Every structure is written in structure tokens, then in C-alpha cells.
Amino acid sequence: MRRLIAAFAAVSLVAACSNEGGGGAEGDTAAAYPEENITFVVPFSAGGPTDTVTRMIADPMAKALGGKIVVQNVEGAGGTVAAGQVAQAEPDGYTVLMHHIGMSTAPALYKDLGYQPLEDFATVGLVTEVPMTLVARNDFPPSTLADLTAYVKANSDKVSLANAGIGAASHLCGLLFQSTAGVKLQEVPYQGTGPALTDLVGGQVDFMCDQTTNTTGQITAKKVKAYAVTTPERVKSLPDVPTTAEGGMPELQVSVWHGLYVPAGTPPEIVTKLSEALKTALADQAVIDQMAKLGTAPVEAADATPDAHRAYLDEQIKTWAKVIADAGVKAS
């Protein structure tokens, strides 16, 4: 009988260990993460504002995770090509999407989107909220925002407005400008604001609305003419640039938030690791200083979390659905 009891106990112990091992497989994977390079997918061109923000946090996040992060630019269709690829990627934490406000506008803009932001992604955390600027080629005639408004109304068939494609932040800001000014302009879409700004500096297009992370250097170097920042207060890195309210257009208020995403189904433990690494990166003084030079700042730690990010994304989807419907804009 003693031998029978001992044998039964041994079998029970093996079964218990086996169950612990099976139930902890996901936990073991998360504990070992990352075991290979992590790819951060950026939906816009290299050198653009979203790319700039991504590269700012990539190295400090990699150090916090104890791995390596590779940045990959996948352009097209206002960021939806990259988002669609990440939505279909293996949910293992090795493919991460950095996207901006366009994540919340895509459902209203695209009839056949191919993914749903709240269903096909797990949110990691918000990163930063970036002001936008109205800028023009240096030899563009208007000198102030009021001059710009009057000029484009008088020359609507001649003025060109650059953007990074339908659904991009520059496109949305441009729509708000046109709506506020009561004018319809010739829009020139690019594969990202990087090449759009290059053409602006070169004088191939007249003006555009772009993030301070992309325009601050060009403004301070006097390579472009700045009319206004689209925030209630002036930006510290651009103290001489007035706000849209100061320029007589208080209705034009918009900033661009960025966040990190992974495919739905990614183990929660890995999402948490990424979120904690993001918080570490955003608290890095070098990152804070870099962002300050470009007119922005990291979000508060409480917003660099999956729950806060998801709640904000949900709110923004609802907000922009109404704005886009009222504007009657649809992507082809």
C-alpha cells in the first residue's frame, strides 16, 4: 500500500509540474523577450516627423529591453499600408507600429480599410503630442497668417498646398485650414512630409501644414517662412511664431499625437514590457531635450500605458469620424 501511495504521489507531482510548464510557456516566452531584433514600422518616409519621433525613442527603448530595435519605413495610403501589414503580423512582440493621429481617422476615410484599430491592435502607450505649423516657401508673397488667408482666397486656382497623402496629419490640418478660410486649394500629395518639405524648401510647392518635429529646424534656419503654430500657446522652441489665434484664425487648432501598437493577440506580458520600456525612454533626459528642441514633449507616464492609449484612441476615432463626415472627404 505504501508503495502504491508513493507511486500515486510521484505521478501527481509529475502532472503538476507538467501543468505548470504548459501554463507558463507564454510567461517563459515573455520573460525571455526579446530574443531577436524588434522591428518598429513607421508608416511614412524617413526624415518625416513620425520617423523622427520613432528614432528618438528606439535606442533608449532597446536598452531598457536589452535588445535591438530596427526602424522600417513602409509608406503608402496615409499610413494604412504599414498598419495593415502590422495587423497581419505574428503577435509575438517583434513587429511594432508607430502611428500618429491617422490611426484614428482611417476608419472614417477608407471604405475598405482591411483592419479595425480597436480590434486588430493592442495599444502599448502614447508617446507625444506634437504641434503643427503653417509654413511656406521663402518667396511666397504673404507675410502673416491674415495675409495668407487673403492671398489664397484671391488666388485659389494657383496656390498649391502640399501634404503627405489622404489621412496624413498634414492633410487633416490642410483640410481644417481650407474649411476655416472658406477656400478650396490645389492639393499636392507626397509619400510623406519629408519629401514634401524638401520640395517646399526648393520652391516647387507654395505652402503646407506640418509638425514641429519636421519644421523647427527649417524655420530656425530660415529655409521656410512660418505663419503660425496650431496650438493655444506659442511653442518654446519657436518663440517668434504666433499662434493661429493670434493670427486671426482661432478655429484652426490641431496637434498630432503618436502611439505604439502591436498586433492583437500579443501576450499581455510582452505588451507590458514594451510599455515599461516606453516609459523609461520618455523619461530619458536626452529624449526630453531632443523633443524640446523640436517643439514637443513626452506624454505623462500615466498616458504611456495600454489602457490610457486605448481610451484616447477610442475617443479620437469618434471625434474625427464627425469632422471627416462633415467635410465630405473620402479616400479613393
Side-chain angles (χ1 to χ4, degrees), residues 11-236:
V11 170
S12 299
L13 179 61
V14 169
C17 291
S18 176
N19 287 337
E20 285 181 8
E26 191 173 275
D28 291 343
T29 299
Y33 174 87
E35 296 182 284
E36 58 187 77
N37 291 348
I38 301 168
T39 299
F40 272 23
V41 178
V42 178
F44 305 104
S45 61
T50 303
D51 179 74
T52 299
V53 171
T54 304
R55 293 178 191 276
M56 279 184 190
I57 66 169
D59 283 346
M61 278 191 70
K63 290 177 183 175
L65 289 165
K68 183 178 180 181
I69 292 174
V70 177
V71 177
Q72 179 184 13
N73 299 89
V74 179
E75 306 165 29
T80 60
V81 173
Q85 286 186 12
V86 175
Q88 297 296 321
E90 192 71 25
D92 54 11
Y94 290 102
T95 306
V96 180
L97 175 69
M98 168 72 91
H99 210 338
H100 62 26
I101 192 173
M103 193 67 151
S104 62
T105 60
L109 283 169
Y110 294 86
K111 182 179 179 182
D112 300 313
L113 187 58
Y115 63 86
Q116 291 301 318
L118 290 168
E119 297 172 11
D120 296 320
F121 294 90
T123 49
V124 174
L126 294 169
V127 179
T128 186
E129 193 160 3
V130 184
M132 301 199 77
T133 51
L134 281 166
V135 293
R137 54 183 170 85
N138 268 332
D139 57 352
F140 199 45
S143 299
T144 66
L145 182 58
D147 292 342
L148 174 66
T149 304
Y151 185 88
V152 298
K153 284 183 176 180
N155 300 276
S156 59
D157 59 335
K158 300 175 183 176
V159 175
S160 56
L161 174 63
N163 63 49
I166 290 180
S170 54
H171 172 242
L172 297 170
C173 184
L175 285 179
L176 288 176
F177 172 82
Q178 292 176 81
S179 174
T180 304
V183 66
K184 177 63 179 173
L185 302 175
Q186 176 188 347
E187 296 185 42
V188 183
Y190 286 80
Q191 291 289 327
T193 49
L197 189 60
T198 297
D199 273 7
L200 186 72
V201 171
Q204 278 75 49
V205 287
D206 293 326
F207 83 112
M208 66 184 294
C209 187
D210 198 9
Q211 300 170 59
T212 55
T213 45
N214 205 31
T215 61
T216 298
Q218 305 288 0
I219 293 170
T220 55
K222 300 188 183 303
K223 292 183 177 181
V224 295
K225 183 183 295 185
Y227 294 109
V229 292
T230 62
T231 46
E233 298 179 355
R234 293 196 180 196
V235 174
K236 290 182 179 179

Side-chain angles (χ1 to χ4, degrees), residues 254-312:
V254 61
S255 57
V256 181
W257 54 272
H258 295 76
L260 292 177
Y261 304 81
V262 288
T266 300
E269 296 88 350
I270 289 179
V271 175
T272 298
K273 270 196 164 187
L274 285 166
S275 180
E276 291 303 315
L278 173 61
K279 290 178 189 175
T280 299
L282 296 181
D284 188 302
Q285 192 59 49
V287 172
I288 295 170
D289 292 344
Q290 281 180 297
M291 287 192 177
K293 289 178 182 177
L294 298 176
T296 187
V299 299
E300 298 292 330
D303 292 324
T305 63
D307 289 345
H309 183 182
R310 183 177 177 82
Y312 192 62

